[in-house]
Amino acid sequence: EAGVTQFPSHSVIEKGQTVTLRCDPISGHDNLYWYRRVMGKEIKFLLHFVKESKQDESGMPNNRFLAERTGGTYSTLKVQPAELEDSGVYFCASSFGQETQYFGPGTRLLVL
Amino acid sequence: GDSVTQMEGPVTLSEEAFLTINCTYTATGYPSLFWYVQYPGEGLQLLLKATKADDKGSNKGFEATYRKETTSFHLEKGSVQVSDSAVYFCALRNTGGFKTIFGAGTRLFVKA
């Protein structure tokens, strides 16, 4: 069974540009999460989808970040416009209900 | 709010040495506790978990016991290998909750 996949694995963009990250959860997982790790600090929760609905977006840092999960399958996280402090590793995870969350390999974002 | 504190790294050990990575938590409810590991160039993997007090999680020679009286979940391994070099994250998730709260991570280097 395929795990959580994320695309791209790395992205280098300039300040002010737009970047879109994609996450494909494990098939059948209704819950999808975004987290990020900035500058070697702790991994922080960004938001949680149940199917296509945002259940909790309390961790989203500001309105430059937009997450969608159309159709309740894959999800995208768009950063527009990107700022230097957005650099970090963005992780996606999925779960079936409240069972174990399985994480993807992450997208390493560098904003110059 | 809920939080996880783990020992700062990096931790450098020789092969076959004993490993302890300390982790303590603060939580309002009765959380499940986790250790995740990130090997170089890879994503986060669940290493072990414990869901209630006095439970011991174990996997790949690693162990951690859920100590409610000391609010701790220290990770131990009796004899580390070079292949154990990675970043280890302690984490919690409250009962009924979906948000996983992570510590800052501890980088482990094991020398041959």
Side-chain angles (χ1 to χ4, degrees):
Chain A
E1 180 184 330
V4 176
T5 57
Q6 293 186 243
F7 182 83
S9 58
H10 295 78
S11 180
V12 181
I13 60 172
E14 293 187 351
K15 175 182 172 181
Q17 290 186 321
T18 297
V19 64
T20 300
L21 314 181
R22 173 172 170 143
C23 169
D24 286 80
I26 292 172
S27 178
H29 281 190
D30 49 354
N31 290 269
L32 186 148
Y33 316 81
W34 285 97
Y35 294 82
R36 75 171 178 177
R37 189 183 191 210
V38 174
M39 290 293 291
K41 295 185 178 178
E42 65 269 23
I43 300 168
K44 288 195 172 180
F45 169 85
L46 295 179
L47 88 159
H48 166 215
F49 285 98
V50 178
K51 297 183 180 177
E52 68 276 7
S53 300
K54 291 177 186 175
Q55 190 75 13
D56 179 356
E57 50 183 331
S58 61
M60 295 288 265
N62 52 60
N63 59 10
R64 295 186 293 103
F65 289 74
L66 175 64
E68 294 179 323
R69 193 182 182 197
T70 306
T73 53
Y74 71 91
S75 174
T76 58
L77 179 64
K78 180 189 290 187
V79 185
Q80 180 181 29
E83 299 289 344
L84 301 180
E85 63 265 25
D86 301 333
S87 297
V89 182
Y90 290 77
F91 291 101
C92 176
S94 71
S95 71
F96 181 74
Q98 290 184 323
E99 295 180 6
T100 300
Q101 294 181 14
Y102 293 91
F103 283 76
T107 293
R108 284 154 182 77
L109 174 64
L110 178 61
V111 183
L112 301 176
Chain B
D2 297 347
S3 66
V4 175
T5 303
Q6 60 183 106
M7 61 189 291
E8 290 188 23
V11 174
T12 303
L13 296 174
S14 297
E15 207 165 22
E16 298 184 3
F18 184 86
L19 168 71
T20 300
I21 300 178
N22 290 336
C23 171
T24 57
Y25 67 90
T26 301
T28 52
Y30 300 91
S32 294
L33 302 176
F34 307 85
W35 277 100
Y36 283 85
V37 59
Q38 185 178 21
Y39 297 104
E42 299 185 14
L44 281 173
Q45 298 176 26
L46 178 64
L47 180 59
L48 54 83
K49 67 179 183 181
T51 58
K52 61 183 187 295
D54 300 325
D55 268 3
K56 178 186 285 188
S58 61
N59 186 24
K60 299 182 180 180
F62 291 89
E63 292 183 341
T65 300
Y66 190 140
R67 300 287 187 199
K68 189 168 176 61
E69 63 276 14
T70 54
T71 62
S72 64
F73 193 55
H74 304 321
L75 182 68
E76 296 182 336
K77 186 175 186 182
S79 175
V80 294
Q81 306 300 312
V82 172
S83 57
D84 293 326
S85 297
V87 181
Y88 293 82
F89 295 91
C90 185
L92 69 83
R93 193 167 76 243
N94 256 316
T95 303
F98 289 86
K99 182 187 305 185
T100 301
I101 296 168
F102 288 86
T106 302
R107 182 174 293 277
L108 171 67
F109 292 104
V110 181
K111 303 180 297 183

